[in-house]
Amino acid sequence: MNAPSSPAVPIRPLLAADVPACARLYQRAYVSAPCYGGAWDEATAARIIHDVLRLFPHECFVAERDGVLQGFILCSSLADVRATIEEFAVAPECQAQGVGSALLDYVLDHYRRRGLTHIELIANRHAPAYAFYRKRGFAENRDYRLLGRAV
């Protein structure tokens, strides 16, 4: 016998008016996760969310039920060649309830309809979300490595 499916999680485009609530949600989702080294302060999170939304307004989405923001996903794409999940957060009280899966499924379908065949993200190997991404089919790239340096 199959387990009952959870009710669909409503997904809609992220709006400029959602930025403050998304920044607060981001702060709550990441502040207590030592593997991330903490979270950006709310003002920095708001600037990041605002910038991605400004540059990619049709690629940012929220999960909202009964007027309560449950999560968001910010994506970008270049010339319909490459898509990237830039930021992804689910409210702590909504985690493990299908909200993250609903947001990810929505984005995958969004890009599939546009003809893209690949999406990437950066994930901390020590974060709880790493197992979620692996379970959802994301794999480490064997050919490319993220490089960084101080400026």
Side-chain angles (χ1 to χ4, degrees), residues 20-148:
C22 287
R24 286 189 298 276
L25 184 150
Y26 179 90
Q27 184 72 26
R28 290 189 306 112
Y30 288 97
V31 74
S32 63
C35 57
Y36 294 113
W40 293 302
D41 60 85
E42 200 172 305
T44 302
R47 285 195 314 272
I48 291 168
I49 295 162
H50 177 268
D51 283 354
V52 176
L53 178 61
R54 179 178 52 82
L55 293 169
F56 303 97
H58 303 293
E59 301 180 58
C60 300
F61 306 96
V62 298
E64 181 183 57
R65 180 173 285 144
D66 300 325
V68 177
L69 188 72
Q70 296 183 325
F72 67 87
I73 190 165
L74 310 177
C75 301
S76 64
S77 66
L78 300 174
D80 282 341
V81 172
R82 182 179 69 212
T84 303
I85 296 172
E86 301 290 347
E87 294 294 332
F88 190 6
V90 174
E93 65 277 7
C94 298
Q95 293 175 5
Q97 295 180 21
V99 174
S101 290
L103 283 162
L104 186 57
D105 289 343
Y106 190 91
V107 163
L108 293 174
D109 186 57
H110 170 77
Y111 288 118
R112 197 176 294 116
R113 284 179 303 184
R114 286 178 44 187
L116 276 81
T117 60
H118 189 79
I119 190 167
E120 51 195 30
L121 58 81
I122 297 172
N124 182 320
R125 288 183 182 149
H126 307 289
Y130 187 80
F132 167 78
Y133 296 131
R134 298 286 296 181
K135 181 179 172 186
R136 296 303 312 266
F138 285 82
E140 290 187 27
N141 188 311
R142 296 176 194 264
D143 298 319
Y144 300 96
R145 295 290 179 253
L146 176 66
L147 303 176

